[in-house]
Amino acid sequence: MNIVLEYVVVFIGVFIFNYFATKVSSKKLSKNQVPTEVLYLKKVYRVTIPKKSYPKFMIICSLINTFIISTIYIIIMYLVNHIILRIIIGVILLILMIIICYGFLAKYYLWKEGR
């Protein structure tokens, strides 16, 4: 039960931080620049994000990033004891979870587009 409570607290804390960091960084971007998430989806999956749904997309990206960070944190803290193994497993899990989670997001947007 402590693990679930810690996961929820970490998730909420990371989401709040990530959401406001995304808001601030998106205001600093010029019209020609796009966030990394959008670039990744465009290059790998050929997904176009409509301008009108851009705020909703940024909230979804914040949720995905928060899920990835919180899950990796809990896995690393409770399953791995050595610091070197924590770093190696954390990096591997991070890459895998980014590919999987953003793959699902790309499939959702492709489904919405009708492709």
Side-chain angles (χ1 to χ4, degrees):
M1 191 65 181
N2 288 338
I3 296 173
V4 175
L5 181 64
E6 184 176 354
Y7 183 82
V8 170
V9 169
V10 169
F11 188 89
I12 291 170
V14 171
F15 177 74
I16 290 170
F17 176 76
N18 193 2
Y19 179 73
F20 288 117
T22 304
K23 281 273 200 193
V24 169
S25 68
S26 67
K27 288 181 182 178
K28 290 182 180 179
L29 294 176
S30 68
K31 291 184 179 181
N32 296 335
Q33 295 176 326
V34 293
T36 309
E37 295 91 350
V38 176
L39 241 163
Y40 176 74
L41 290 176
K42 281 184 180 179
K43 297 256 182 199
V44 175
Y45 299 104
R46 294 178 183 84
V47 173
T48 55
I49 308 299
K51 290 288 184 183
K52 65 180 181 179
S53 67
Y54 197 71
K56 181 182 174 185
F57 173 76
M58 292 311 292
I59 291 173
I60 292 171
C61 283
S62 290
L63 283 170
I64 288 174
N65 293 337
T66 302
F67 170 75
I68 291 171
I69 292 169
S70 301
T71 305
I72 291 174
Y73 169 76
I74 293 297
I75 290 171
I76 295 287
M77 294 310 285
Y78 287 100
L79 295 179
V80 183
N81 292 330
H82 299 289
I83 190 74
I84 302 296
L85 284 176
R86 283 183 179 178
I87 293 170
I88 293 170
I89 292 172
V91 169
I92 292 170
L93 283 176
L94 179 67
I95 293 168
L96 289 174
M97 288 186 74
I98 287 173
I99 291 170
I100 291 169
C101 292
Y102 281 102
F104 285 139
L105 182 63
K107 288 185 188 275
Y108 170 74
Y109 274 103
L110 290 173
W111 174 75
K112 248 179 125 173
E113 290 177 2
R115 288 199 275 164

